[in-house]
Amino acid sequence: MESLIAHLAELLLPQGRGVISITGAGGKTSALKALGRHFRSLSKSVLLTTTTKIQSPKTFDYDMDWAFTDEVEALGHEVAPGEGVFYAQRALMDPKKLVSPRPEVLSILIPRFDVVIIEADGARHLPLKYHSQRDPVIVSETDATLAVMGASAYGRRVDDSVFGFESEALVDTAFLNFLIRDGEGALKGAMGRTVLFINQADEVALPLEGILAPVPLILGSLREDRIYGSL
């Protein structure tokens, strides 16, 4: 059985080098970690970071060799081949969250690594995201975009499962198509090679029939590292 993560990595960065921005909801941070671990297994140096907010490594294990929350330390670190580095800045208002490095600092760091993976969105742990004017935040250096959606929203009320959208309707195929096609939906801001990934297929049997995606779509489970279907 083909590895989901290996397949996503090949679709996103076929040359094994570049910048991936991860947007949406329903597994962004888990995808960030899994892709970082995969590229490191290929002896690539990897930077994990954010352009919005991200969990602190004190509360989430990113499986990296180094974790920096200070730009002086991050800029002063000499990157070794195959090494994994996590870096985001301390957030004064929320000690459980870290925030984006300054853009000029990120621009200095990106060329130092073979692969940079950026969490470029936030969804407060809900499985789907409808964007506002201020997000996602995708850097110009982005070579590929992984837009994540959570299958666990299927059949639930929109109010309870979609960050940024209010409706008493249920999430069905028609709503997923709306979210995929709308300008503020799942593919907003996507740059470079773009893959739409519906995670949590091990939790909910989401039918792919009727879903219309303008980019490659993969249905799978990060927890199982398994592909359930594709379009």
Side-chain angles (χ1 to χ4, degrees), residues 186-197:
L187 298 176
K188 182 185 178 183
M191 292 178 60
R193 287 175 295 276
T194 301
V195 176
L196 182 61
F197 168 51

Side-chain angles (χ1 to χ4, degrees), residues 137-197:
V137 183
I138 299 179
V139 298
S140 60
E141 294 94 337
T142 297
D143 298 294
T145 303
L146 180 65
V148 182
M149 303 173 76
S152 64
Y154 194 74
R156 291 168 53 187
R157 273 182 43 156
V158 170
D159 285 347
D160 298 330
S161 54
V162 185
F163 180 70
F165 201 96
E166 294 185 7
S167 171
E168 294 182 1
L170 297 181
V171 175
D172 56 9
T173 298
F175 185 83
L176 292 178
N177 281 332
F178 159 75
L179 205 60
I180 291 169
R181 295 284 181 168
D182 190 83
E184 298 295 329
L187 298 176
K188 182 185 178 183
M191 292 178 60
R193 287 175 295 276
T194 301
V195 176
L196 182 61
F197 168 51

Side-chain angles (χ1 to χ4, degrees), residues 60 95 161 183 212:
F60 185 88
S161 54
L212 305 174

Side-chain angles (χ1 to χ4, degrees), residues 16 18 20 27 31-32 34 41 63 66 103 149 158-159 165 179 208 226 229:
I20 300 171
L32 178 99
S41 74
D63 195 21
W66 298 88
M149 303 173 76
V158 170
D159 285 347
F165 201 96
L179 205 60
L208 287 180
R226 177 184 171 189

